[in-house]
Amino acid sequence: MKTIVITGGSDGIGAAAAKVLVGLGHRVIIVGRNPTKTAAVANALKMPYHLADFTKLADVQRLANELRQYDHIDVLANNAGGIMGERTLTADGFEKTFQVNHLGAFLLIQLLLDKLVADHATVIATSSIAANLFGAPFDVNDLNVSQSYTSEKAYGYAKYENILFTRELVRRYPGQLHAVAFHPGVVRTSFSSESNTVMRWLYQTPLKYLGTISPAKSAQRLVKLALGTPGVDFTDGAVYNGKHLLQVKNQDADGQDGQALWEASMRAAADYLA
């Protein structure tokens, strides 16, 4: 039996993956923002849950402290995220898309890093092909997307940051923990509900059934990685689109973007890492 933490576990892909994993006999710890929805999913599965709003880094810090109660964490699936609307800064002073999709997960992992390494855990990032569609060219000096902001650009940046962080974890901790990212597919979920893009309109009409897959089908990608054996079922640092590797437009062959992102994220989260 594995102990698997899923952020963004109260809805969509996260909730669907949790249901499958529990059905296979694993312990799944549900993390969500909405108290009612999170409790409903966890209680239906008879699993523990924790509340955290990733727009508040203090919530992430509290979540990390709470997760330390578990004797072992085999998998941490960073699934919380979404595309936002107008450019908004959180109370912590960061662009909302950047904080919810990347910085919150970065802080959570940093606060749990000693435990994840000791447990030889696998860290999974729900990234997106949006990293290719909207994330290039990437400017590591503008993580808050203050220049030429669009919600698509901010989301593309954040999904590329998921990939960079995955690779940098493997580079810094080879053989000590495992990390992999994946594109969940174009899924019929509420992920774009806060955006002001054409995607929100599409997701609110019957057109959402054209060319999309169900959360349950998408969740199989997360389940496969959560239960997979590193080096056998997936390659550390890779990004998957179903069974295939996703070719990332911003290759970052020398790893400079990954290192720069790590250092910038450390500075951004410094108040909670002291």
Side-chain angles (χ1 to χ4, degrees):
M1 180 186 75
K2 288 190 174 184
T3 295
I4 301 164
V5 178
I6 301 180
T7 70
S10 64
D11 199 0
I13 301 165
K19 182 177 180 180
V20 174
L21 289 164
V22 171
L24 293 173
H26 300 283
R27 177 172 65 170
V28 179
I29 300 160
I30 308 294
V31 177
R33 177 182 63 175
N34 183 293
T36 303
K37 292 169 67 174
T38 306
V41 170
N43 291 339
L45 297 175
K46 295 181 173 59
M47 289 288 140
Y49 70 91
H50 299 269
L51 300 174
D53 182 344
F54 276 35
T55 66
K56 304 171 183 176
L57 294 182
D59 270 25
V60 178
Q61 184 181 54
R62 174 181 48 76
L63 172 63
N65 290 333
E66 292 174 0
L67 291 177
R68 285 190 171 276
Q69 72 180 272
Y70 298 101
D71 58 352
H72 198 85
I73 294 177
D74 296 284
V75 178
L76 172 56
N78 287 306
N79 176 65
I83 188 168
M84 311 302 171
E86 299 295 332
R87 186 175 185 274
T88 304
L89 298 183
T90 67
D92 297 295
F94 303 105
E95 191 275 320
K96 187 176 180 181
T97 318
F98 166 67
Q99 181 165 325
V100 171
N101 288 274
H102 167 69
L103 187 59
F106 178 89
L107 175 60
L108 180 62
I109 290 174
Q110 291 300 323
L111 293 172
L112 291 173
L113 195 53
D114 60 331
K115 181 172 180 58
L116 296 174
V117 167
D119 293 345
H120 297 287
T122 294
V123 176
I124 302 173
T126 303
S127 183
S128 171
I129 200 170
N132 282 346
L133 298 176
F134 310 119
F138 178 71
D139 184 359
V140 74
N141 295 310
D142 189 24
L143 298 179
N144 284 306
V145 200
S146 59
Q147 303 297 318
S148 304
Y149 174 89
T150 66
S151 54
E152 293 96 339
K153 178 181 177 180
Y155 185 65
Y157 266 36
K159 295 296 99 180
Y160 182 51
E161 288 155 12
N162 295 156
I163 295 168
L164 290 176
F165 183 33
T166 296
R167 292 173 172 171
E168 190 65 8
L169 270 173
V170 173
R171 189 186 75 82
R172 288 175 181 254
Y173 299 94
Q176 298 179 70
L177 54 70
H178 306 282
V180 64
F182 76 104
H183 168 55
V186 183
V187 191
R188 294 190 294 273
T189 68
S190 60
F191 96 99
S192 63
S193 61
E194 295 186 41
S195 78
N196 57 0
T197 69
V198 68
M199 283 187 281
R200 178 178 181 178
W201 178 76
L202 288 173
Y203 272 73
Q204 301 302 314
T205 72
L207 290 174
K208 69 181 180 180
Y209 293 101
L210 299 177
T212 63
I213 61 176
S214 68
K217 186 171 182 179
S218 175
Q220 291 296 334
R221 300 184 178 190
L222 175 54
V223 169
K224 183 177 179 180
L225 292 173
L227 300 183
T229 300
V232 177
D233 300 305
F234 65 83
T235 300
D236 274 334
V239 189
Y240 287 90
N241 182 4
K243 297 179 181 178
H244 307 288
L245 290 173
L246 178 67
Q247 297 302 313
V248 182
K249 187 180 294 185
N250 286 315
Q251 285 298 326
D252 190 33
D254 57 8
Q256 289 188 359
D257 277 354
Q259 294 179 55
L261 175 65
W262 183 288
E263 292 163 3
S265 301
M266 288 292 287
R267 291 192 295 270
D271 288 347
Y272 296 92
L273 294 171

